[in-house]
């Protein structure tokens, strides 16, 4: 049911943990099931994401999508990070079973929430970024 890449990222998650004094932190949850995801971003003065870590209380698909999402945004600038949609993450994982697609949304939402936090702290605007709910 899961692709090899999903299994790999689930069993060996990349960038799990937290960053103390992160430039931006975003926490999102799915109210229906209570699953939670938090993303920490370390962003330098050139707006490049130098480091990223995540924590999640969710299923294997949530772990795998967070892990892949962190790999995709690392080293990118904040504009490029906006292109890391849940569709892009799913493609990078060679797909997810349809019942698990909603779990992959948490990663995108958490990245956006962390970018929003960073933008607010620094008084900047990021094109296309909407205030997290
Ligand atoms: Fe809850 Fe996937 S995160 S089932
Ligand atoms: Fe909660 Fe999937 S069941 S995010």
């Amino acid at each position: 049911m899961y692709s090899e890449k999903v299994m790999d990222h689930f069993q060996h998650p990349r960038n799990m943990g937290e960053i103390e004094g992160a430039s931006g932190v975003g926490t999102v949850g799915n109210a229906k099931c209570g699953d939670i995801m938090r993303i920490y971003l370390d962003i330098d003065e050139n707006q490049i994401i130098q480091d990223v870590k995540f924590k999640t209380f969710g299923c294997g698909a949530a772990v795998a999508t967070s892990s892949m999402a962190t790999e995709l945004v690392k080293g990118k600038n904040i504009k490029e990070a906006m292109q890391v949609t849940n569709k892009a993450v799913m493609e990078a994982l060679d797909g997810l079973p349809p019942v698990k697609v909603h779990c992959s949304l948490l990663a995108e939402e958490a990245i956006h929430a962390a970018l929003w936090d960073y933008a607010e702290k620094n008084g900047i605007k990021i094109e296309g970024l909407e205030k997290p709910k």
Side-chain angles (χ1 to χ4, degrees):
M1 140 160 165
Y2 286 122
S3 73
E4 264 172 50
K5 279 192 194 155
V6 172
M7 287 312 291
D8 177 36
H9 278 264
F10 170 52
Q11 284 167 333
H12 311 282
R14 329 293 202 261
N15 306 308
M16 210 158 54
E18 52 190 288
I19 298 173
E20 240 179 87
S23 323
V25 182
T27 307
V28 296
N30 182 324
K32 278 195 200 119
C33 60
D35 292 332
I36 292 174
M37 187 175 302
R38 181 171 296 156
I39 295 258
Y40 301 81
L41 296 174
D42 197 9
I43 301 172
D44 72 11
E45 63 282 4
N46 297 315
Q47 302 190 333
I48 310 277
I49 297 172
Q50 291 294 349
D51 199 10
V52 44
K53 293 263 190 290
F54 80 92
K55 274 187 167 175
T56 187
F57 295 93
C59 66
V63 172
T65 48
S66 318
S67 169
M68 181 56 92
T70 57
E71 289 229 297
L72 291 177
V73 299
K74 204 170 188 170
K76 298 227 160 88
N77 68 39
I78 54 175
K79 265 195 190 160
E80 293 163 338
M82 288 296 295
Q83 316 291 316
V84 179
T85 59
N86 80 301
K87 189 164 170 269
V89 174
M90 283 205 304
E91 274 169 15
L93 285 169
D94 295 334
L96 276 175
V99 297
K100 290 292 173 185
V101 170
H102 68 283
C103 310
S104 70
L105 283 170
L106 287 176
E108 179 188 306
E109 287 171 6
I111 287 172
H112 286 179
L115 285 171
W116 183 271
D117 181 41
Y118 163 77
E120 278 222 309
K121 280 181 184 150
N122 291 277
I124 59 166
K125 257 197 168 290
I126 301 175
E127 218 184 296
L129 184 62
E130 282 168 29
K131 191 173 170 32
K133 285 162 220 139

